[in-house]
Amino acid sequence: MKQIVNSDKAPAAIGPYSQAIEANGFVLVSGQLPIVPSTGQFPSQDVQDQTKASLENIRAILKEAGLGLEHVVKTTVYLADIKDFGPMNEIYGQYFQAPYPARAAFAVAGLPKGAKVEIEVIAAK
């Protein structure tokens, strides 16, 4: 059985998908673009600002499910440019503490709306 998790403190889905789904003790959060919900825009073109925005959106969605970032067991980070890995990683490290979640991070050909980063997570209840 699956249940939709939705937060009005994170940007609404821009397609036929849910912000997150809870199933079998896990919450699977869709890739979060760095959109500031109050403006509908990116905070800036800086990858660190965008990383913060994506992670804050994830935090808001997890909160709706009664969870926090400490419940995250797996992340996937999509970067428009692998050269942004270091600056992204610096901010990412401020949001997660040991034991760190498993992670994959890689460059993709492009991200929606010209974003520099998109992050998805899986959290365990």
Side-chain angles (χ1 to χ4, degrees):
M1 182 171 206
K2 63 183 181 179
Q3 180 177 347
I4 294 172
V5 178
N6 190 52
S7 172
D8 59 3
K9 293 183 173 41
I14 57 173
Y17 63 92
S18 300
Q19 283 180 336
I21 293 290
E22 183 177 338
N24 299 322
F26 290 95
V27 176
L28 297 93
V29 180
S30 294
Q32 292 301 300
L33 291 172
I35 295 171
V36 177
S38 62
T39 66
Q41 303 295 318
F42 297 149
S44 75
Q45 286 302 309
D46 178 75
V47 71
Q48 289 189 319
D49 290 342
Q50 289 194 14
T51 300
K52 287 178 192 175
S54 289
L55 290 168
E56 288 299 329
N57 291 338
I58 289 166
R59 187 188 313 239
I61 294 165
L62 289 174
K63 186 175 181 181
E64 281 296 318
L67 303 175
L69 292 173
E70 68 276 11
H71 294 95
V72 173
V73 295
K74 172 72 168 79
T75 67
T76 305
V77 179
Y78 304 96
L79 296 163
D81 187 338
I82 199 65
K83 292 177 187 169
D84 286 332
F85 179 86
M88 173 281 300
N89 199 49
E90 187 177 319
I91 299 302
Y92 179 98
Q94 295 172 12
Y95 281 79
F96 295 100
Q97 298 172 1
Y100 299 105
R103 178 179 77 181
F106 48 90
V108 295
L111 291 168
K113 299 185 174 245
K116 292 185 179 254
V117 65
E118 181 176 1
I119 304 171
E120 66 180 24
V121 305
I122 299 172
K125 285 206 140 190

